[in-house]
């Protein structure tokens, strides 16, 4: 990959979920509108794939955090459960 592509990939990995999602929406809009050259369409498609991966990583991370929170505290003695049962 070229330096420009490496820089773009590094910049993509630092995007927040909302930023990546909004840019992905714009990429899809441009692809659906048509009127771009084959080369530009391919570049847009590749960018969209990168952005989709960023969104997927954020969502998987959020799912893991939710699952951990729903599983309850990592207290081996279950003190958190006893407090919840008392209420």
């Amino acid at each position: 990959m070229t330096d420009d592509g490496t820089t773009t990939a590094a910049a993509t990995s630092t995007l927040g979920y909302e930023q990546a999602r909004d840019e992905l929406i714009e990429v899809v809009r441009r692809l659906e509108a048509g009127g771009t050259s084959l080369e530009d369409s391919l570049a847009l498609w590749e960018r969209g794939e990168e952005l989709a991966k960023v969104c997927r990583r954020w969502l998987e991370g959020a799912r893991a955090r939710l699952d951990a929170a729903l599983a309850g505290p990592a207290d081996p003695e279950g003190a958190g459960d006893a407090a919840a049962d008392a209420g």
Side-chain angles (χ1 to χ4, degrees):
M1 190 180 290
T2 65
D3 288 341
D4 185 52
T6 303
T7 303
T8 301
T12 299
S13 66
T14 62
L15 288 175
Y17 173 77
E18 289 81 5
Q19 292 169 309
R21 181 202 58 212
D22 291 347
E23 188 177 341
L24 180 56
I25 290 168
E26 179 61 21
V27 166
V28 170
R29 186 196 64 74
R30 289 179 60 194
L31 284 169
E32 287 178 342
T36 58
S37 68
L38 177 60
E39 188 64 32
D40 288 343
S41 294
L42 288 172
L44 284 168
W45 180 271
E46 290 169 347
R47 181 65 178 158
E49 289 290 332
E50 291 173 13
L51 293 164
K53 288 177 187 175
V54 170
C55 290
R56 192 173 308 115
R57 280 194 302 270
W58 275 105
L59 292 172
E60 288 170 355
R63 170 57 66 192
R65 288 176 63 188
L66 285 172
D67 289 345
L70 292 173
D75 184 355
E77 296 180 24
D81 292 4
D85 291 341

